[in-house]
Amino acid sequence: MDLLRIEGGPPLNGTVRASGAKNATLPIMTAALLIDEPLFIENVPHLEDVTTTNVLLAHMGVSVTVGDYMVIEADASTMTSCRAPYDLVKTMRASILVLGPLLAKRGEAEVSLPGGCAIGARPVDIHLRGLEAMGAEIRVESGYVKAKCSRLKGARIPMDTVTVTGTENLMMAATLADGVTVLENAAREPEVVDLANCLIAMGADIEGAGTSTITIRGKQKLHGATHRVVPDRIETGTFLVAGVASRGKVTVTHTDPLLIDTVLVKLADAGAEVTQGEDWVTVDMHGKRPKPVDVRTSPHPGFPTDMQAQFCVLNAVADGVGMVTETVFENRFMHVSELERMGAKIRQEGHTVRVTGVEKLTGAPVMATDLRASASLVIAGLIADGTTEVRRIYHIDRGYECIEEKMAQLGGMIQRVPDRAPVTAKGVPV
């Protein structure tokens, strides 16, 4: 097991390239199950969750080839199984996304209830009710969803809660259904739009992606296509927050500023000079300490819950008091106690934390509790005095591509080392 050893240092400065979006890549990979021809996916990030999905698809008999520059070719014409076992899905909630495509294309599916980060309840009830409304017969037995159908039927599906994976699962299922499906209260995230664009390239008839009402007119058959995944807006935001919190200047390239407009507004409120082009963003603090900002998470187009932990760190070193309110997940402040170990002054009051900024954090051994909390601890270590060791970094490898290498490009003193490796008196690996 590895850990990240970080020496707090000077402000971060430099340029880093954004990877493709994890949360767009995973559903697009499962969309390959809808066709009997190859689906080529470009700009795929090299992440544990992507590897897990590759293994899951291969287990079902899909031919998966990873080419140069992270281009994936997935061909489901060789499929032999419609079962997604627990051992392959226990670490990743996105694995439930095979359910809709399997039912729509093969008429059956046996999918283990998924695992993932322990950040709160993300039930699959909406997925199952939607598929039942489309005519599927579904049972949940021994931790597995067992479903079958002849051909799914178009239906009006009002979702009582906004769910990204629920929207994606039902949208994929509806592409091969008999008739028209209308998803109401649909998720509007850019990753949902990216999946819709991929499905349209495969021949699907979809309108309204990016709005709260998505209309899908089912087709008898879809076909192969090539699709390029959108840039990762959360990775982009994470590097920009690191630049602001460290009082530095950071540029992220190969990204899309329009995907993170709410984040850029808050970074400007924190005192950053924000400049941007078509595919790049720069934040420059000119050496100044950030101002505190109040954020309240909500589904897109609101402030993203996946950026909440990073802004807790920014507020932890800001000149004043900032309030961070979480409305999407009920258990997403587990990073608070770890930041307190580093000297942050944070008080949690229900779904809100009050953060009183300090001049400097102090390095300490900390433990990652989920994917985005991991990123917040890395930022905290980079701006703290002394040495910080971040353990359980398998969380961060699920969603950030080579984060230690990218932070090092910005001047961060960060290394991946074996856990419990012997060190010198200065904390440097022997």
Side-chain angles (χ1 to χ4, degrees):
M1 187 73 71
D2 291 342
L3 59 80
L4 292 178
R5 181 170 291 129
I6 307 168
E7 294 292 333
L12 298 178
N13 285 281
T15 299
V16 67
R17 175 178 179 150
S19 301
K22 172 184 88 83
N23 290 339
T25 299
L26 302 183
I28 288 170
M29 291 175 68
T30 65
L33 296 170
L34 293 166
I35 55 177
D36 290 322
E37 300 175 16
L39 176 63
F40 294 89
I41 312 168
E42 301 175 344
N43 199 33
V44 176
H46 183 63
L47 302 170
E48 283 299 319
D49 276 8
V50 172
T51 300
T52 299
T53 304
N54 280 339
V55 173
L56 174 58
L57 293 176
H59 174 82
M60 293 189 289
V62 178
S63 175
V64 180
T65 304
V66 180
D68 294 337
Y69 307 108
M70 286 308 290
V71 175
I72 287 180
E73 176 189 353
D75 186 348
S77 64
T78 57
M79 267 195 66
T80 57
S81 171
C82 292
R83 189 172 190 269
Y86 173 74
D87 286 347
L88 292 181
V89 306
K90 62 185 178 181
T91 63
M92 187 180 66
R93 290 182 185 266
S95 56
I96 194 66
L97 288 167
V98 302
L99 179 59
L102 285 175
L103 263 179
K105 178 65 175 176
R106 312 291 169 179
E108 62 175 318
E110 185 175 343
V111 181
S112 172
L113 293 171
C117 292
I119 60 175
R122 291 189 277 188
V124 299
D125 300 17
I126 295 173
H127 305 233
L128 305 188
R129 288 200 301 268
L131 292 170
E132 285 177 328
M134 298 171 71
E137 298 177 15
I138 295 177
R139 294 175 293 128
V140 179
E141 295 179 352
S142 304
Y144 279 80
V145 177
K146 300 179 180 181
K148 62 180 181 178
C149 66
S150 51
R151 184 184 179 190
L152 294 174
K153 307 292 184 181
R156 171 181 167 270
I157 304 176
M159 294 180 280
D160 54 11
T161 301
V162 177
T163 162
V164 173
T165 54
T167 299
E168 293 168 336
N169 225 343
L170 297 174
M171 183 168 64
M172 285 191 284
T175 61
L176 293 178
D178 181 14
V180 179
T181 299
V182 179
L183 304 180
E184 298 179 354
N185 197 27
R188 296 183 280 174
E189 272 69 8
E191 294 78 16
V192 173
V193 176
D194 201 36
L195 172 61
N197 289 337
C198 178
L199 294 170
I200 291 169
M202 295 163 61
D205 186 344
I206 301 173
E207 294 180 356
T211 74
S212 59
T213 302
I214 302 177
T215 302
I216 308 102
R217 295 172 178 83
K219 296 290 189 71
Q220 284 283 348
K221 185 179 181 181
L222 302 181
H223 54 73
T226 298
H227 179 79
R228 185 173 182 82
V229 174
V230 294
D232 195 317
R233 60 192 174 105
I234 305 303
E235 184 196 40
T236 298
T238 298
F239 286 119
L240 295 177
V241 168
V244 172
S246 71
R247 311 185 192 187
K249 179 181 180 180
V250 168
T251 298
V252 181
T253 65
H254 296 79
T255 190
D256 184 350
L258 296 178
L259 300 181
I260 55 168
D261 50 1
T262 56
V263 172
L264 296 182
V265 168
K266 293 298 181 180
L267 293 177
D269 290 344
E273 178 188 354
V274 180
T275 54
Q276 62 191 65
E278 184 177 352
D279 63 352
W280 60 270
V281 184
T282 297
V283 291
D284 190 350
M285 290 299 290
H286 299 284
K288 300 178 298 182
R289 185 179 177 186
K291 303 173 186 175
V293 291
D294 295 340
V295 299
R296 181 182 182 88
T297 67
S298 63
H300 193 79
F303 187 88
T305 179
D306 281 353
M307 287 301 303
Q308 175 256 105
Q310 297 90 316
F311 270 79
C312 283
V313 176
L314 187 154
N315 280 339
V317 293
D319 186 11
V321 178
M323 308 293 286
V324 178
T325 301
E326 174 62 54
T327 72
V328 179
F329 294 117
E330 74 278 7
N331 192 28
R332 206 167 198 183
F333 283 132
M334 291 184 288
H335 49 280
V336 166
S337 59
E338 299 302 298
L339 292 176
E340 287 178 321
R341 290 172 52 79
M342 301 180 69
K345 294 183 178 179
I346 305 179
R347 185 173 76 248
Q348 184 173 349
E349 302 168 349
H351 296 294
T352 299
V353 291
R354 175 186 173 92
V355 189
T356 302
V358 297
E359 183 70 27
K360 270 288 187 180
L361 298 177
T362 303
V366 292
M367 186 172 295
T369 53
D370 64 71
L371 171 54
R372 305 308 172 182
S374 304
S376 73
L377 296 176
V378 169
I379 296 173
L382 289 167
I383 62 178
D385 283 336
T387 304
T388 297
E389 291 185 342
V390 183
R391 287 180 166 81
R392 293 178 65 182
I393 60 172
Y394 57 84
H395 285 296
I396 207 164
D397 290 335
R398 289 183 49 230
Y400 287 91
E401 184 176 36
C402 304
I403 192 169
E404 71 276 15
E405 296 177 15
K406 290 189 174 184
M407 288 298 187
Q409 290 175 29
L410 301 175
M413 293 182 284
I414 176 172
Q415 291 179 300
R416 181 183 293 257
V417 299
D419 200 351
R420 308 190 194 288
V423 297
T424 66
K426 293 184 179 181
V428 178
V430 173

